Amino acid sequence: MTRPQQQPRLSLDVIVEVAARLIAEEGYDALNMRRLAKECGVGVMTLYGYVRTKDDLLQALANRLFHLVDLPDDENLPWDEHIARVLRSVRAVFLEHPELLPITAMHRLDGTGAYRGAESLFRALEQAGLSGVQVVHAFDAMVAFTLGFVQREVGTDRATPSPMPGLSALNRDAYPRVIELAGHMIARDTAAAFEAGLQMLIAGIAAAGNP
């Protein structure tokens, strides 16, 4: 006689794993504490013994995923290559775990996963010649670029086979540059586009650090 499959013993790690699966399979809006409790095979009140609120749950999920970001430990690595490696790794984690995108966009993250990345980038930005509020502004720009780029990248992958159908209806006299560059916009290599934008961002940081 086959024994019924047992649910894994409940823990915060198990709850976070189930939450990640729900978001990945059904979208961010599908996650709520009642649905999560059902998927875990427990009552809602049992969940509150592990996480007080949905926001706490999302913080725990984001914290776990941001610990996957690879941070260089070579003290002799030039600051620009350090930044490039971190942001490439952040992009890779976002692409592998798109459930992290809405959490990062809509919540102020407050865990060691995010702070370890901030500490690493802050150090590189100081090596670039930035200080104080300049470091924070540059960090915000890097986060916005990487998050926004991958959001569009993931959205484009899920879009219809005929992207940007409105282009064919544009008047050439009114939109000459858009029409001229349309082929590049439609057929662009997203990895190459990310790298190009990253290098432009790094060049701006270098200019700010050496006025």
Side-chain angles (χ1 to χ4, degrees):
M1 181 177 179
T2 303
R3 293 183 177 180
Q5 186 175 2
Q6 291 185 336
Q7 291 280 356
R9 184 175 180 179
L10 195 66
S11 67
L12 179 58
D13 284 342
V14 169
I15 294 169
V16 168
E17 182 67 33
V18 174
R21 176 175 57 78
L22 270 176
I23 297 173
E25 292 177 355
E26 301 182 29
Y28 180 81
D29 293 335
L31 181 66
N32 59 65
M33 299 300 276
R34 186 174 299 279
R35 175 69 189 283
L36 182 61
K38 181 179 179 181
E39 292 293 321
C40 291
V42 299
V44 175
M45 296 308 298
T46 301
L47 287 187
Y48 289 125
Y50 296 87
V51 286
R52 294 176 300 170
T53 65
K54 179 179 175 179
D55 187 67
D56 287 346
L57 171 64
L58 294 175
Q59 291 282 355
L61 173 56
N63 192 53
R64 187 182 72 164
L65 294 178
F66 270 110
H67 272 288
L68 299 176
V69 174
D70 184 27
L71 302 179
D73 57 7
D74 183 357
E75 295 290 338
N76 297 317
L77 190 67
W79 69 264
D80 53 344
E81 183 57 28
H82 185 112
I83 288 173
R85 287 192 189 182
V86 173
L87 296 191
R88 288 171 191 145
S89 182
V90 171
R91 172 176 174 261
V93 171
F94 277 147
L95 288 175
E96 187 171 353
H97 300 278
E99 65 271 22
L100 184 56
L101 288 167
I103 300 173
T104 305
M106 293 186 281
H107 295 265
R108 184 182 292 275
L109 301 183
D110 187 31
T112 55
Y115 288 140
R116 65 188 280 272
E119 180 67 25
S120 180
L121 289 172
F122 285 178
R123 184 171 66 251
L125 290 168
E126 288 177 350
Q127 291 172 351
L130 275 59
S131 62
V133 71
Q134 280 186 311
V135 170
V136 176
H137 288 167
F139 176 78
D140 286 343
M142 291 189 293
V143 171
F145 165 71
T146 308
L147 175 61
F149 189 96
V150 182
Q151 282 181 315
R152 293 193 63 185
E153 194 172 7
V154 170
T156 300
D157 287 343
R158 296 175 179 176
T160 60
S162 301
M164 306 170 72
L167 280 171
S168 60
L170 291 181
N171 181 290
R172 181 172 292 275
D173 292 334
Y175 302 94
R177 295 167 188 81
V178 172
I179 292 173
E180 180 183 354
L181 296 172
H184 295 292
M185 291 192 294
I186 293 173
R188 62 184 162 204
D189 178 335
T190 55
F194 178 82
E195 192 64 30
L198 175 58
Q199 294 307 319
M200 291 178 187
L201 187 59
I202 288 173
I205 292 169
N210 298 280

